[in-house]
Amino acid sequence: MKTLTGAEIVIECLKEQGVDTVFGYPGGAILNIYDALYKHKDEITHILTSHEQGASHAADGYARATGKVGVCMATSGPGATNLVTGIATANLDSIPMVAITCNVTTGLLGKDSFQEIDILGVTMPITKYNFIVKDVTKLADVIRRAFVIAKSGRPGPVLVDITKDVTAAACEYEPKEPQPIERETELIREEDMEKAIEMIKAARKPFIFVGGGAVASDAANELSAFAHKIQAPVGDSLMGKGAFDGTDVLYTGMIGMHGTKTSNLGVAECDLLIVVGARFSDRVVGDPNHFATNAKILHIDIDPAEINKNIQTDASIIGDVKIILRKLNARLDPMNHDEWLSHIERLKDMYPLRYNKEVLTGPYIMEEIYKVTGGDAIICTDVGQHQMWAAQYYKYKRPRQLLTSGGLGTMGYGLGAAIGAKMGCKDKTVINIAGDGCFRMNMNEIATATRYNIPVIEVVFNNHVLGMVRQWQTLFYGKRYSQTELYDQMDFVKVAEGMGAKAYRITKKEDVEPVLREAISLNIPVMIECQIGSDDKVFPMVPAGKPIEEAFDEIDLRIE
């Protein structure tokens, strides 16, 4: 046992938890921690982002790509509030993250002191748990508890706010081994298992809907075995991408607003919908009164609060998805649903994803990225049309390949997340797909990538508009393009080069492949601007609040 300052205890606790990388931005209140971090820079790498929001997204991306807890740091006041969007993003997508902030000294709390903010109050609705530490003797236990909470059960972000005097105070510190995280099984009831097995055996047209919970529980192997054992087609949510191999013959594509017609019709026509780690988001469900109306619904999820929250189910099993699937696999015999699978295959043939192959488009670029990377890259995205194209046209073969803001829909998420992902997975090609609107929100993080020579590739789909909002304005608002046109003097290539990156501009299809190959081979930060049409749209599409089987595409619009 030794005596350490609070700042030194923070660093020792991070080392205890196996933290090798943190993302942050210093300031007055957190100076003691940064001073202690300086003394341990050979053990913990600190990435100074261009903005605290970039730090929170980087910690999030690190967590999504590795499955470990991501860590970010910021000072008091505006430093802490700049983390808020990133914390909220992680919260809605159930990402394990610990955000460490420092506040004014204990005696100045509640006095509107310089750079004081009640960050505990601000973040209470958007964290799994949060703490303020005013006693140095409690600091180590709080940090250890924060990591346990962040990664246990349904993961999520935890904030630890520490007053500056606590970081300077000293107390005895005793190292401890990290608490092991046990998979949650106590709510898996035998009667629930029996009912589920009975429903699965009775089904003639089962369909599996996979969400992010299957990724969080590392259940890919069990899910694949389950789908093939019961011979059921599989669709996924945006957050579930990669939990089931996108090249598998049973895979039907994404479900929901921009899902495939095959998946949406599969949900509408099935007699049993098996939902694995998904929360029935409104973007998946559409009209909740007309969702899977021909089916019984079996919901498997770790969080009891999700059962019957958005959609009424017929049965549920609560617990860790990996364990539940493993138990089901052990008790089910192989099944045959050839007639149902043949019908699904006919739907795939009738309703393939389509786009204009004559010109440079987002779908074409995504297919080229898939080809050049062999389907092995980590793909990050911002939010909008490019996000949907990345979900539709890149085949994700394994979990943790697609990092994207699903619940909050955070523009500006992707580049920070890509930096975090690359720091966590240095052997993988990491590509962020952005729109020009999103790039304006996070382009400053190019400077972070070049500062540390983090070789991420930023691909900007520049259509000179806020594409997804414009798509809605075109289809539903009489082409009244209010504040969605971005025709201005911005030169993305010069901006990226000014921050030290290699930059390219692509205007025709034949340049995509050679530029991508060169960008990957350079192994430095690269920005690739791809100029595409302002009126390109994401199809299929379900109007908000409509049944998902009413998905339409350009051919349907022409018929009308």
Side-chain angles (χ1 to χ4, degrees), residues 262-301:
T262 300
S263 285
N264 287 358
L265 289 171
V267 170
E269 296 175 12
C270 70
D271 63 3
L272 175 64
L273 183 64
I274 304 168
V275 183
V276 181
R279 58 185 178 85
F280 296 105
S281 161
D282 58 295
R283 287 298 172 100
V284 166
V285 168
D287 182 352
N289 297 315
H290 292 88
F291 180 76
T293 51
N294 295 310
K296 292 185 176 180
I297 298 177
L298 168 62
H299 193 180
I300 301 170
D301 204 281

Side-chain angles (χ1 to χ4, degrees), residues 442-453:
N442 66 14
M443 65 175 74
N444 53 355
E445 298 305 338
I446 290 284
T448 305
T450 58
R451 178 184 297 118
Y452 298 99
N453 194 30

Side-chain angles (χ1 to χ4, degrees), residues 146-203:
F147 276 83
V148 170
I149 292 171
K151 59 187 175 181
S152 61
R154 181 178 182 170
V158 178
L159 179 128
V160 179
D161 192 36
I162 310 165
T163 59
K164 186 172 183 178
D165 50 309
V166 166
T167 67
C171 72
E172 288 187 336
Y173 164 80
E174 182 178 2
K176 290 185 179 180
E177 288 293 317
Q179 179 180 325
I181 304 299
E182 303 293 336
R183 292 184 177 270
E184 293 197 358
T185 59
E186 63 270 16
L187 296 179
I188 302 176
R189 303 188 307 170
E190 176 58 25
E191 55 263 44
D192 294 337
M193 292 291 296
E194 289 178 356
K195 185 171 184 182
I197 290 168
E198 180 184 316
M199 292 169 70
I200 293 168
K201 287 181 176 179

